[in-house]
Amino acid sequence: MFMQIIQGRVRDTDAAKAALDRWQTDLAPGAEGWLGGTYGVTDDGMMVAAVRFESREAAQRNSDRPEQSQWWAGMESCFDGEVTFHDCDDVTLLLDGGSDRAGFVQVIQGRITDRDRARSIVEQSAKMISQYRPDLLGATLAVDEDGFFTETVAFTSEDEARKNEAKELPEEARKMFEEEMSLMQDVKYLDLHQPWFSSRH
């Protein structure tokens, strides 16, 4: 899988969402290799779009379509300032990556010091997550070639997430979580209180 993370501050959340909805309606049917996306805007206006493709080549073919360029010109006008792109060939899924039924998504970003170990921890933690965090529906860990990572974590609801994160984890799970965090630098959290999703059906 390949993921492209697109983010920037938006002037008008409703206009940006409408543009993304138009993409889903008008362009998605012809986007070969497109799998889906997770989207949202933080309280301070930072939009994050985590878009999934079968491969980098499929994403590039989509970018090369004239209708994509035309759509992006309109979408870009919704942003206030710079838009950043992170192209990630290194993608790991936890519990199938999440769910379009999630009521809250937390995006975690930063730099990763050991991507192989981080990937291994994510893969190992699935069983413990299912057992101790039923509110956590899944996650994706996407790392670009410079080691910048974006993790999207999908929860049933924000209330459930906050309630369960305050509980003490069993020692094995706590150690695994602490080791994962030790592999991450310059970490920041982006809370998407009203996420929306799209996927190829």
Side-chain angles (χ1 to χ4, degrees):
M1 186 185 291
F2 172 81
M3 285 184 67
Q4 185 172 66
I5 314 299
I6 307 159
Q7 67 190 84
R9 298 204 178 278
V10 288
R11 295 189 185 90
D12 185 335
T13 298
D14 289 339
K17 187 177 187 306
L20 286 165
D21 287 344
R22 278 197 305 277
W23 190 91
Q24 171 74 13
T25 302
D26 300 343
L27 278 77
E32 181 188 342
W34 171 76
L35 300 174
T38 297
Y39 314 90
V41 182
T42 64
D43 289 344
D44 63 352
M46 176 67 74
M47 170 171 273
V48 181
V51 187
R52 305 183 301 276
F53 285 88
E54 290 176 355
S55 65
R56 179 183 285 264
E57 292 73 25
Q60 187 61 54
R61 285 194 298 272
N62 176 66
S63 295
D64 291 342
R65 293 192 296 163
E67 58 268 42
Q68 175 71 17
S69 300
Q70 186 177 3
W71 171 84
W72 176 250
M75 180 68 199
E76 196 171 23
S77 69
C78 298
F79 289 95
D80 185 15
E82 182 186 9
V83 183
T84 59
F85 296 81
H86 295 283
D87 293 333
C88 306
D89 294 294
D90 184 351
V91 179
T92 305
L93 303 184
L94 172 66
L95 302 178
D96 296 326
S99 169
D100 289 1
R101 296 179 290 102
F104 172 60
V105 172
Q106 187 168 70
V107 179
I108 308 166
Q109 293 184 314
R111 301 216 162 265
I112 207 153
T113 57
D114 185 339
R115 66 175 71 208
D116 290 337
R117 181 57 187 151
R119 190 187 306 118
S120 174
I121 290 172
V122 169
E123 290 169 348
Q124 288 174 42
S125 64
K127 187 175 180 181
M128 276 188 281
I129 291 293
S130 298
Q131 187 173 354
Y132 301 119
R133 291 295 301 269
D135 58 305
L136 202 162
L137 299 173
T140 61
L141 175 64
V143 189
D144 72 12
E145 61 183 7
D146 297 324
F148 183 89
F149 77 88
T150 299
E151 188 170 15
T152 66
V153 190
F155 297 92
T156 52
S157 71
E158 186 166 6
D159 285 347
E160 286 293 312
R162 301 302 182 197
K163 185 171 70 176
N164 282 293
E165 73 182 6
K167 293 179 181 176
E168 191 168 332
L169 288 170
E171 186 174 1
E172 184 185 7
R174 181 180 57 78
K175 283 182 176 178
M176 189 170 285
F177 174 74
E178 288 176 352
E179 183 182 358
E180 182 182 14
M181 293 309 297
S182 75
L183 303 175
M184 299 174 175
Q185 299 175 343
D186 305 323
V187 175
K188 64 179 180 178
Y189 297 84
L190 303 171
D191 290 342
L192 308 182
H193 301 292
Q194 296 178 304
W196 70 94
F197 309 91
S198 60
S199 57
R200 187 180 292 286
H201 298 296

